[in-house]
Amino acid sequence: SQTIHQWPATLVQPVGSPLSLECTVEGTSNPNLYWYRQAAGRGLQLLFYSVGIGQISSEVPQNLSASRPQDRQFILSSKKLLLSDSGFYLCAWSVGGFDTGELFFGEGSRLTVL
Amino acid sequence: GQNIDQPTEMTATEGAIVQINCTYQTSGFNGLFWYQQHAGEAPTFLSYNVLDGLEEKGRFSSFLSRSKGYSYLLLKELQMKDSASYLCAVEDSNYQLIWGAGTKLIIKP
């Protein structure tokens, strides 16, 4: 069966510090991978998605970046965090293809920037 | 612009029935999803509608009317564990998901 893991689950970072969130998927090949951010009381905001290794599409201009060094690994990074980067970050995967389809989410990472 | 509307919060009684509505205006339509999200956790898939009509899955049912840009999620025999947020999402013509802000459902004994 397929599983998805992301870490860390919780982190508190000072403004200006770097960030690295990691996500891995097991039990499937060539998935579509996504990074979402969820602010309190708001809908999920798509940050990045990837349909293959090294293929990253950015949906929102910001100080975040994403990389997909391996087929089932997706990393969200920042060189310098802003207060506005605080939120609940979710990694997700779907079956590879041109459509999104059903999403399977990781456990989430709650980031607080102070 | 693209927009998904759903009530912010609803309250219902254990054992009762509740209907959560979702209206959408999107660039094209390739399906509508409902997800459940407990506080502090990730969303989990509940249902998918691409054709008009009702899809039933146990205590949960989802209805779609494409001509009206409208869907609802019906929860029967409510249980305390159904207290959660329910997210409506539409896949647009670019096959991207547009998400509503979610409806927080509070179940009272």
Side-chain angles (χ1 to χ4, degrees), chain B:
Chain B
Q2 307 201 88
N3 195 48
I4 308 285
D5 286 317
Q6 45 181 137
T8 302
E9 186 175 297
M10 299 181 70
T11 301
T13 304
E14 189 177 16
I17 299 173
V18 70
Q19 177 175 310
I20 302 174
N21 296 325
C22 170
T23 57
Y24 62 89
Q25 292 176 308
T26 57
S27 302
F29 178 86
N30 280 302
L32 184 144
F33 296 82
W34 284 97
Y35 284 80
Q36 180 190 60
Q37 185 178 25
H38 286 100
E41 299 181 8
T44 55
F45 171 80
L46 285 178
S47 68
Y48 171 67
N49 295 70
V50 66
L51 300 176
D52 290 351
L54 188 68
E55 294 280 344
E56 296 186 78
K57 190 184 294 185
R59 294 189 299 115
F60 293 5
S61 303
S62 56
F63 171 83
L64 174 67
S65 169
R66 289 172 296 172
S67 63
K68 296 182 179 178
Y70 167 71
S71 172
Y72 68 73
L73 180 69
L74 191 71
L75 291 74
K76 302 177 183 177
E77 301 170 16
L78 286 170
Q79 303 175 10
M80 298 303 293
K81 67 178 182 180
D82 297 329
S83 292
S85 289
Y86 292 86
L87 311 179
C88 175
V90 172
E91 192 169 275
D92 67 10
S93 57
N94 293 319
Y95 299 100
Q96 295 297 319
L97 280 182
I98 310 302
W99 293 84
T103 298
K104 182 178 181 180
L105 178 63
I106 299 170
I107 308 297
K108 295 185 176 181

Side-chain angles (χ1 to χ4, degrees), chain A residues 66-77:
Chain A
S67 62
R68 185 172 178 172
Q70 300 180 41
D71 181 46
R72 291 169 289 177
Q73 183 184 26
F74 207 23
I75 298 171
L76 182 69
S77 304

